[in-house]
PDB file of all heavy atoms in Angstrom:
ATOM      1  N   GLY A 200      96.141 101.064  91.296  1.00  0.00           N
ATOM      2  CA  GLY A 200      96.682 101.423  89.985  1.00  0.00           C
ATOM      3  C   GLY A 200      97.691 100.395  89.528  1.00  0.00           C
ATOM      4  O   GLY A 200      97.426  99.191  89.519  1.00  0.00           O
ATOM      5  N   ASP A 201      98.885 100.871  89.155  1.00  0.00           N
ATOM      6  CA  ASP A 201      99.936  99.963  88.683  1.00  0.00           C
ATOM      7  C   ASP A 201     101.090  99.889  89.669  1.00  0.00           C
ATOM      8  O   ASP A 201     102.227  99.635  89.282  1.00  0.00           O
ATOM      9  CB  ASP A 201     100.443 100.412  87.300  1.00  0.00           C
ATOM     10  CG  ASP A 201     100.996 101.836  87.327  1.00  0.00           C
ATOM     11  OD1 ASP A 201     100.801 102.536  88.340  1.00  0.00           O
ATOM     12  OD2 ASP A 201     101.628 102.250  86.330  1.00  0.00           O
ATOM     13  N   GLU A 202     100.807 100.082  90.945  1.00  0.00           N
ATOM     14  CA  GLU A 202     101.845 100.046  91.979  1.00  0.00           C
ATOM     15  C   GLU A 202     101.697  98.793  92.837  1.00  0.00           C
ATOM     16  O   GLU A 202     100.607  98.471  93.307  1.00  0.00           O
ATOM     17  CB  GLU A 202     101.750 101.293  92.864  1.00  0.00           C
ATOM     18  CG  GLU A 202     102.085 102.584  92.128  1.00  0.00           C
ATOM     19  CD  GLU A 202     102.003 103.797  93.029  1.00  0.00           C
ATOM     20  OE1 GLU A 202     101.263 103.747  94.038  1.00  0.00           O
ATOM     21  OE2 GLU A 202     102.674 104.800  92.724  1.00  0.00           O
ATOM     22  N   PHE A 203     102.818  98.120  93.028  1.00  0.00           N
ATOM     23  CA  PHE A 203     102.862  96.890  93.809  1.00  0.00           C
ATOM     24  C   PHE A 203     103.945  96.994  94.879  1.00  0.00           C
ATOM     25  O   PHE A 203     104.972  97.654  94.661  1.00  0.00           O
ATOM     26  CB  PHE A 203     103.162  95.686  92.908  1.00  0.00           C
ATOM     27  CG  PHE A 203     102.095  95.390  91.893  1.00  0.00           C
ATOM     28  CD1 PHE A 203     102.038  96.104  90.704  1.00  0.00           C
ATOM     29  CD2 PHE A 203     101.142  94.413  92.118  1.00  0.00           C
ATOM     30  CE1 PHE A 203     101.061  95.841  89.755  1.00  0.00           C
ATOM     31  CE2 PHE A 203     100.156  94.141  91.188  1.00  0.00           C
ATOM     32  CZ  PHE A 203     100.118  94.856  90.000  1.00  0.00           C
ATOM     33  N   VAL A 204     103.716  96.333  95.986  1.00  0.00           N
ATOM     34  CA  VAL A 204     104.704  96.281  97.070  1.00  0.00           C
ATOM     35  C   VAL A 204     104.883  94.837  97.491  1.00  0.00           C
ATOM     36  O   VAL A 204     103.906  94.088  97.615  1.00  0.00           O
ATOM     37  CB  VAL A 204     104.259  97.133  98.275  1.00  0.00           C
ATOM     38  CG1 VAL A 204     105.182  96.904  99.469  1.00  0.00           C
ATOM     39  CG2 VAL A 204     104.262  98.615  97.906  1.00  0.00           C
ATOM     40  N   VAL A 205     106.143  94.444  97.712  1.00  0.00           N
ATOM     41  CA  VAL A 205     106.452  93.081  98.146  1.00  0.00           C
ATOM     42  C   VAL A 205     107.224  93.151  99.457  1.00  0.00           C
ATOM     43  O   VAL A 205     108.236  93.862  99.553  1.00  0.00           O
ATOM     44  CB  VAL A 205     107.291  92.328  97.099  1.00  0.00           C
ATOM     45  CG1 VAL A 205     107.622  90.922  97.598  1.00  0.00           C
ATOM     46  CG2 VAL A 205     106.551  92.261  95.772  1.00  0.00           C
ATOM     47  N   PHE A 206     106.746  92.450 100.460  1.00  0.00           N
ATOM     48  CA  PHE A 206     107.476  92.310 101.715  1.00  0.00           C
ATOM     49  C   PHE A 206     108.258  91.000 101.692  1.00  0.00           C
ATOM     50  O   PHE A 206     107.708  89.948 101.360  1.00  0.00           O
ATOM     51  CB  PHE A 206     106.514  92.300 102.910  1.00  0.00           C
ATOM     52  CG  PHE A 206     107.178  91.867 104.187  1.00  0.00           C
ATOM     53  CD1 PHE A 206     107.871  92.779 104.959  1.00  0.00           C
ATOM     54  CD2 PHE A 206     107.127  90.546 104.590  1.00  0.00           C
ATOM     55  CE1 PHE A 206     108.507  92.382 106.125  1.00  0.00           C
ATOM     56  CE2 PHE A 206     107.753  90.127 105.759  1.00  0.00           C
ATOM     57  CZ  PHE A 206     108.446  91.053 106.529  1.00  0.00           C
ATOM     58  N   VAL A 207     109.537  91.092 102.044  1.00  0.00           N
ATOM     59  CA  VAL A 207     110.399  89.905 102.087  1.00  0.00           C
ATOM     60  C   VAL A 207     111.003  89.825 103.482  1.00  0.00           C
ATOM     61  O   VAL A 207     111.765  90.712 103.893  1.00  0.00           O
ATOM     62  CB  VAL A 207     111.515  89.972 101.025  1.00  0.00           C
ATOM     63  CG1 VAL A 207     112.318  88.674 101.028  1.00  0.00           C
ATOM     64  CG2 VAL A 207     110.918  90.229  99.649  1.00  0.00           C
ATOM     65  N   GLY A 208     110.667  88.799 104.213  1.00  0.00           N
ATOM     66  CA  GLY A 208     111.144  88.661 105.581  1.00  0.00           C
ATOM     67  C   GLY A 208     112.471  87.932 105.683  1.00  0.00           C
ATOM     68  O   GLY A 208     112.828  87.134 104.821  1.00  0.00           O
ATOM     69  N   ASP A 209     113.201  88.239 106.753  1.00  0.00           N
ATOM     70  CA  ASP A 209     114.435  87.517 107.082  1.00  0.00           C
ATOM     71  C   ASP A 209     115.422  87.511 105.917  1.00  0.00           C
ATOM     72  O   ASP A 209     115.898  86.464 105.477  1.00  0.00           O
ATOM     73  CB  ASP A 209     114.093  86.090 107.507  1.00  0.00           C
ATOM     74  CG  ASP A 209     115.240  85.434 108.273  1.00  0.00           C
ATOM     75  OD1 ASP A 209     116.178  86.149 108.655  1.00  0.00           O
ATOM     76  OD2 ASP A 209     115.192  84.203 108.457  1.00  0.00           O
ATOM     77  N   ILE A 210     115.748  88.697 105.409  1.00  0.00           N
ATOM     78  CA  ILE A 210     116.684  88.827 104.302  1.00  0.00           C
ATOM     79  C   ILE A 210     117.594  90.013 104.562  1.00  0.00           C
ATOM     80  O   ILE A 210     117.154  91.054 105.043  1.00  0.00           O
ATOM     81  CB  ILE A 210     115.951  88.995 102.949  1.00  0.00           C
ATOM     82  CG1 ILE A 210     116.939  88.922 101.782  1.00  0.00           C
ATOM     83  CG2 ILE A 210     115.127  90.260 102.918  1.00  0.00           C
ATOM     84  CD1 ILE A 210     116.268  88.853 100.422  1.00  0.00           C
ATOM     85  N   GLY A 211     118.886  89.852 104.279  1.00  0.00           N
ATOM     86  CA  GLY A 211     119.854  90.899 104.539  1.00  0.00           C
ATOM     87  C   GLY A 211     120.266  91.651 103.283  1.00  0.00           C
ATOM     88  O   GLY A 211     119.825  91.345 102.169  1.00  0.00           O
ATOM     89  N   GLU A 212     121.136  92.633 103.479  1.00  0.00           N
ATOM     90  CA  GLU A 212     121.550  93.513 102.386  1.00  0.00           C
ATOM     91  C   GLU A 212     122.239  92.745 101.267  1.00  0.00           C
ATOM     92  O   GLU A 212     122.099  93.095 100.082  1.00  0.00           O
ATOM     93  CB  GLU A 212     122.491  94.581 102.950  1.00  0.00           C
ATOM     94  CG  GLU A 212     122.897  95.649 101.967  1.00  0.00           C
ATOM     95  CD  GLU A 212     123.741  96.729 102.607  1.00  0.00           C
ATOM     96  OE1 GLU A 212     124.113  96.578 103.795  1.00  0.00           O
ATOM     97  OE2 GLU A 212     124.041  97.728 101.921  1.00  0.00           O
TER      98      GLU A 212
END
Side-chain angles (χ1 to χ4, degrees):
D201 59 349
E202 293 181 335
F203 295 81
V204 171
V205 179
F206 168 84
V207 184
D209 198 12
I210 188 171
E212 186 176 7

